[in-house]
Amino acid sequence: MSTTAKKPRLTTSAMIASIASEGQRVKAAPFGKALVELAQQRADIVGLTADLAKYTDLHLFAQAYPERFFQMGMAEQLLMASAGGMAKEGFIPFATTYAVFGTRRAFDFVHQVIAEENLNVKMCCALPGLTTGYGPSHQATEDIALMRGIPGMTIIDPCDALDTEQAVPQIAAHAGPVYMRLLRGNVPLVLDEYDYTFELGKAKMLRDGKDVLVISSGILTMRALEVAKALESDSVDVGVLHVPTIKPLDTATILAEASRSGRLVVVAENHTAVGGLGEAVATALLTAGVTPPFYQIALPDAFLDAGALPTLHDRYGISTEAMVTAIKGWLG
Amino acid sequence: MNIPSEIGSHTKLAEHAYRIRRYALQMGEVQGQGYVGQALGYADVLAVAYCHAMSYKPSDPEWEGRDRFLLSHGHYAIAFYAALLEAGVIPEDELETYGSDDSRLPMSGMATYTPGMEMSGGSLGQGLPIAVGIALGLRLKGNPAFVYNSMSDGELDEGSTWEAAMGAAHHGLSNLICLVDINNQQADGPSTKVMGFEPLADKWAAFGWHVQRVNGNDLPAVIAAFDTARNLQEARPRVILFDTLMGKGVPFLEAREKNHFIRVDPHEWQQAIEILDQARGAV
Ligand SMILES: Cc1ncc(C[n+]2csc(CCOP(=O)(O)OP(=O)(O)O)c2C)c(N)n1
Ligand SMILES: [Mg+2]
């Protein structure tokens, strides 16, 4: 870390970070709005947070249904365990905090209270992967790995506002615990251009391509679509398979697409290379004897730096430019 | 090494607190954001800690004899860097790197980045349990240094805080001093509304601690509280509960709608600094 470098100043994105790039189409608070709408039809929905309603868009629910909203204070173990308790009484609790705290801080409570009894708690956790420049304390780079290790956990990694709002009623309808990575604030709107609907448990081809198949989740699907457009000018044909449900994995669709010959397979995720979508897909492919050329775009197995998000996305290879460069390199 | 100065030195400490506030505003201007409301509110406590109470060597932040200071509320980094600048641990010209890429002064405090930063904060509620371990370690080594754990009122919500409170009392940690900034603010609103914690002094006392509750913006009271905590001849941990005012020292920020991130418009940074400077001239 040098102290002398003088570069144009990029501000560190704080708790209020938005992952939308300039001029991008966005939708405000898709999670909060979808939950309010769902709660009109379902009286069993309750909302709980650990001093982060405003930062998870749950404040909209709190305003609409004050009697069904419970502020648990900044106490994530209480948040998850009490959500479990409410589920035992027949409610469907939506519990929100940041992804780091919902997983790391509350892990044993999620595991023992919620998952082991297959309770109906929907954990919606913001700042997934590398979406803040605050350093490891706020960067949830291994949340999926942790949650994948829990039997029976359903894991959702939405790409954009459309994915998010469509996922809300479906995760409520699903019986059992769900961990959803939450995009909050002004969330990019991307998938409406692709004749797409979110279906829990389903991977979906967003565009076909004969040279490269990118299998991705979360905001890296948004990036993969940008990469595909960028590589058109190099006459590289990139297909994108979006996998918003990480667990249970839609192995059938993944195998069908990955076994088409002549394509490089690249798994792209906003998560450490350890224990996420990349390893899940690799296991599925090897187990089925499907062995295309295979590459991973993921965060390194390291504690990441603090700094401005664009800088960090470049540094760790998940910016559109970095992904284009990597894929071109692999194509040779 | 910093030699604790005599009682009655609060005019000198007011000068230190003024400069800590000024540094914090300067850093806030660099990024156009930051937890300056908290920094202004907590500056008096930090001034007394670093310019009156604590032993340390600015040029050797890892000196074995130093009093340890844990910034459990890592988001107060802007306030803490201002104190480290005032203490001479960080050179003044580094201020303008605050929050920039590759700076030693990231927006959330981390031990791996900054000299004088004893823990990586950000995940709130971790400082006090760490302090328990440090206090045990110091005692076992026969090292007479104190460990200070500095925390926010939001951290009172975390179970880990109370696990540590019980543990510290159980082990009779007289070398542990906990400082709590009660600014009645958390992310979702006033602490009293987010999760009521009163009667707070009674809670700490019931956990076995020596408790003081003072106005954290009243310098003589803050000095006296530190002196009492350090000189107490009792085998138990000590806590000082500081009631503070967010934005203290800049009236238009004191009056602004309270928020976890107090709003500061771009032209207001200089205005705030000027107001501080004028107030100091008037003293
Ligand atoms: C374990 C943990 N949970 C949640 C957060 C998110 N968070 C950051 S600051 C904050 C408010 C906590 O209250 P306090 O520190 O008193 O806030 P302030 O006085 O600075 O407004 C919260 C909930 C966190 N950093 N760590
Ligand atoms: Mg507070």
Side-chain angles (χ1 to χ4, degrees):
Chain A
M1 284 158 286
S2 77
T3 58
T4 45
K6 267 213 168 170
K7 283 184 256 166
R9 236 164 234 154
L10 283 172
T11 55
T12 299
S13 13
M15 289 167 69
I16 33 187
S18 169
I19 42 127
S21 49
E22 255 196 52
Q24 188 169 28
R25 283 187 308 130
V26 295
K27 221 169 175 178
F31 166 74
K33 287 178 186 161
L35 192 62
V36 167
E37 199 174 307
L38 182 66
Q40 281 163 11
Q41 297 138 38
R42 299 197 64 153
D44 51 359
I45 300 231
V46 293
L48 295 83
T49 192
D51 194 17
L52 285 173
K54 279 196 214 167
Y55 297 87
T56 57
D57 292 341
L58 194 68
H59 64 296
L60 298 178
F61 178 88
Q63 283 157 14
Y65 299 99
E67 73 291 349
R68 282 151 71 181
F69 168 75
F70 303 94
Q71 173 61 264
M72 287 298 150
M74 188 176 65
E76 294 76 14
Q77 299 180 338
L78 170 64
L79 170 74
M80 292 307 181
S82 65
M86 291 199 80
K88 284 164 92 70
E89 293 301 328
F91 293 96
I92 304 181
F94 276 70
T96 74
T97 176
Y98 286 160
V100 282
F101 310 125
T103 58
R104 295 182 205 153
R105 177 67 63 98
F107 192 69
D108 193 32
F109 294 78
V110 172
H111 188 284
Q112 279 310 108
V113 177
I114 295 172
E116 203 266 340
E117 289 191 45
N118 198 41
L119 295 180
N120 219 357
V121 178
K122 318 304 166 185
M123 295 161 274
C124 301
C125 298
L127 299 185
L130 178 54
T131 51
T132 160
Y134 257 34
S137 66
H138 283 62
Q139 293 159 345
T141 52
E142 72 291 79
D143 59 334
I144 288 173
L146 285 165
M147 287 297 178
R148 272 186 73 219
I150 301 181
M153 185 63 66
T154 293
I155 302 172
I156 310 293
D157 188 14
C159 163
D160 72 342
L162 184 135
D163 240 358
T164 304
E165 65 194 11
Q166 294 187 353
V168 167
Q170 293 187 40
I171 64 174
H174 171 83
V178 177
Y179 175 73
M180 181 166 89
R181 282 181 141 192
L182 177 60
L183 304 173
R184 60 149 303 265
N186 285 329
V187 179
L189 182 59
V190 177
L191 295 179
D192 60 335
E193 288 179 7
Y194 290 87
D195 185 29
Y196 167 88
T197 50
F198 173 87
E199 269 181 88
L200 191 111
K202 289 281 190 305
K204 299 226 167 146
M205 280 305 280
L206 298 178
R207 55 175 281 164
D208 207 357
K210 62 180 188 335
D211 302 318
V212 178
L213 173 68
V214 178
I215 301 175
S216 57
S217 69
I219 60 168
L220 281 212
T221 291
M222 173 175 92
R223 293 275 151 85
L225 292 167
E226 287 162 10
V227 167
K229 279 185 193 153
L231 283 174
E232 278 169 7
S233 53
D234 293 288
S235 304
V236 177
D237 200 9
V238 178
V240 177
L241 177 62
H242 178 44
V243 188
T245 308
I246 309 259
K247 190 180 182 181
L249 196 63
D250 184 358
T251 314
T253 305
I254 291 170
L255 287 177
E257 289 298 332
S259 28
R260 272 172 55 188
S261 61
R263 290 204 294 198
L264 211 77
V265 169
V266 177
V267 182
E269 58 187 316
N270 174 26
H271 185 268
T272 163
V274 178
L277 182 64
E279 289 191 358
V281 169
T283 305
L285 296 185
L286 267 182
T287 306
V290 175
T291 56
F294 180 90
Y295 297 94
Q296 225 182 329
I297 290 173
L299 300 168
D301 178 21
F303 294 105
L304 307 186
D305 293 338
L309 262 193
T311 311
L312 300 179
H313 279 197
D314 261 341
R315 187 172 297 169
Y316 297 119
I318 62 167
S319 67
T320 306
E321 296 70 32
M323 287 168 69
V324 165
T325 307
I327 291 174
K328 276 186 176 171
W330 293 326
L331 284 166
Chain B
M1 182 167 135
N2 216 41
I3 313 284
S5 33
E6 316 81 58
I7 306 292
S9 59
H10 64 265
T11 42
K12 200 192 96 210
L13 284 166
E15 181 72 13
H16 289 299
Y18 150 75
R19 279 204 296 271
I20 289 173
R21 289 192 167 90
R22 202 173 195 284
Y23 284 139
L25 287 169
Q26 285 177 276
M27 280 184 275
E29 187 173 23
V30 166
Q31 283 285 322
Q33 57 171 327
Y35 291 98
V36 285
Q38 287 85 335
L40 293 169
Y42 205 46
D44 297 310
V45 174
L46 288 169
V48 175
Y50 271 84
C51 306
H52 171 76
M54 285 168 58
S55 291
Y56 58 94
K57 295 180 181 173
S59 58
D60 182 9
E62 289 173 33
W63 171 51
E64 174 66 9
R66 76 191 182 283
D67 288 333
R68 277 69 167 160
F69 187 99
L70 299 174
L71 189 75
S72 183
H73 40 169
H75 63 290
Y76 276 50
I78 190 169
F80 189 60
Y81 300 150
L84 291 180
L85 283 157
E86 182 61 7
V89 179
I90 296 173
E92 202 173 323
D93 59 6
E94 218 167 312
L95 178 154
E96 62 178 62
T97 72
Y98 169 69
S100 305
D101 291 343
D102 303 318
S103 167
R104 295 201 300 175
L105 310 179
M107 290 189 72
S108 185
M110 281 183 278
T112 40
Y113 281 64
T114 315
M117 182 68 83
E118 304 263 8
M119 68 172 277
S120 291
S123 182
L124 295 167
Q126 297 190 343
L128 196 56
I130 299 172
V132 166
I134 291 177
L136 286 169
L138 288 171
R139 192 167 74 182
L140 195 58
K141 290 194 286 187
N143 183 328
F146 280 104
V147 51
Y148 292 87
N149 176 66
S150 177
M151 61 183 276
S152 64
D153 54 355
E155 295 187 87
L156 295 166
D157 297 357
E158 291 286 356
S160 54
T161 295
W162 299 102
E163 295 173 20
M166 205 182 295
H170 176 77
H171 290 287
L173 297 176
S174 53
N175 55 350
L176 171 51
I177 300 175
C178 186
L179 315 170
V180 189
D181 180 17
I182 303 171
N183 63 357
N184 195 27
Q185 184 65 47
Q186 297 190 212
D188 272 342
S191 307
T192 38
K193 291 213 174 123
V194 171
M195 182 57 66
F197 47 63
E198 299 290 359
L200 192 56
D202 293 349
K203 281 199 177 69
W204 285 93
F207 272 72
W209 287 58
H210 175 269
V211 189
Q212 301 176 79
R213 185 161 188 166
V214 301
N215 176 346
N217 298 122
D218 173 354
L219 269 177
V222 174
I223 296 167
F226 269 87
D227 289 348
T228 300
R230 284 157 64 230
N231 296 324
L232 188 77
Q233 298 298 313
E234 284 179 28
R236 44 185 187 142
R238 305 95 223 267
V239 61
I240 314 174
L241 309 171
F242 295 107
D243 290 292
T244 65
L245 178 64
M246 287 182 93
K248 178 73 187 177
V250 180
F252 75 82
L253 292 179
E254 289 175 12
R256 186 152 290 174
E257 190 198 351
K258 291 287 177 283
N259 223 317
H260 181 57
F261 283 100
I262 238 169
R263 195 193 81 237
V264 183
D265 295 332
H267 67 278
E268 290 180 328
W269 296 102
Q270 277 308 319
Q271 232 171 298
I273 290 171
E274 278 162 30
I275 288 171
L276 269 188
D277 291 350
Q278 281 160 16
R280 174 213 188 198
V283 170

